[in-house]
Amino acid sequence: MGHPLVVNSLELLRRPGSQKDVSVDVDTAEVGLDAEARLVPDSSIGVRLTCASTNDGIVVDGSLAVRYRGSCRRCLRSVDGDGVVEVHELYQETRTDPDAFPIENDQIDLRTMVRESVLLDVPEAPLCRVDCPGLCPICGVDLATETCSCVAESVDPRWSVLSELRDSLPE
Ligand SMILES: [Zn+2]
Ligand SMILES: [Zn+2]
């Protein structure tokens, strides 16, 4: 038995309209995804795909459930979360669609496609929580755990002009 993400294309192509479901959890390493992929290391990817043969090739539809890990875009804290990558791809023996993946040796290898789809779609900069206050833009303290006096002092320049004007007015 081969890898669950390598599907025999002969049976599918023999009868256009036939389908094969691929439902398997794989390790990130199995599809060549390492830490750079912004996924939780050694987590699993829930692969839920349907391969359907058409006159054009084999259409692969479905989703990939991943555990991502990124840095909060406001405070840089590490954040884990669940993400879903939608998949809609085409495999062809003779490529007429430049975006199609190849059918080689009567097989479609879903691993490359899973890897590329995850790399393209995992959210780049999540938030650790929706109301993350982030870092102080002036002194850099983490406003979720510390306070600083910068915010009170950093007044919008337009307002400081107004307050200077007000100060210069006679009483
Ligand atoms: Zn944050
Ligand atoms: Zn500050």
Side-chain angles (χ1 to χ4, degrees):
M1 238 192 88
H3 193 278
L5 291 182
V6 178
V7 174
N8 185 316
S9 62
L10 272 184
E11 303 161 24
L12 282 167
L13 290 172
R14 196 171 293 145
R15 283 178 297 124
S18 56
Q19 294 192 348
K20 182 175 168 50
D21 289 330
V22 176
S23 179
V24 64
D25 292 346
V26 297
D27 287 346
T28 49
E30 267 179 79
V31 290
L33 288 165
D34 51 24
E36 286 163 50
R38 302 188 300 270
L39 295 181
V40 174
D42 302 318
S43 60
S44 69
I45 300 176
V47 179
R48 303 291 177 267
L49 299 171
T50 299
C51 310
S53 70
T54 67
N55 293 328
D56 220 19
I58 297 174
V59 174
V60 179
D61 268 311
S63 64
L64 311 168
V66 296
R67 290 281 299 158
Y68 67 79
R69 172 167 294 171
S71 298
C72 171
R73 65 171 177 266
R74 291 190 195 149
C75 71
L76 309 178
R77 204 174 264 117
S78 178
V79 197
D80 290 357
D82 294 309
V84 173
V85 176
E86 301 291 337
V87 169
H88 181 80
E89 298 292 346
L90 176 66
Y91 282 75
Q92 291 184 318
E93 207 144 28
T94 308
R95 261 199 265 189
T96 54
D97 183 331
D99 294 328
F101 286 90
I103 297 177
E104 287 169 332
N105 307 319
D106 300 323
Q107 287 179 331
I108 60 175
D109 189 339
L110 300 169
R111 290 175 292 189
T112 310
M113 184 276 289
V114 166
R115 178 173 183 278
E116 289 181 10
S117 301
V118 170
L119 283 174
L120 282 176
D121 267 6
V122 169
E124 187 123 16
L127 287 175
C128 63
R129 55 179 221 231
V130 283
D131 60 346
C132 171
L135 304 178
C136 169
I138 297 159
C139 71
V141 305
D142 186 344
L143 296 172
T145 54
E146 289 174 72
T147 50
C148 63
S149 50
C150 304
V151 178
E153 287 160 17
S154 68
V155 196
D156 187 312
R158 284 168 299 176
W159 293 111
S160 62
V161 170
L162 276 181
S163 66
E164 273 167 37
L165 271 177
R166 202 188 308 119
D167 290 345
S168 65
L169 288 174
E171 301 272 323

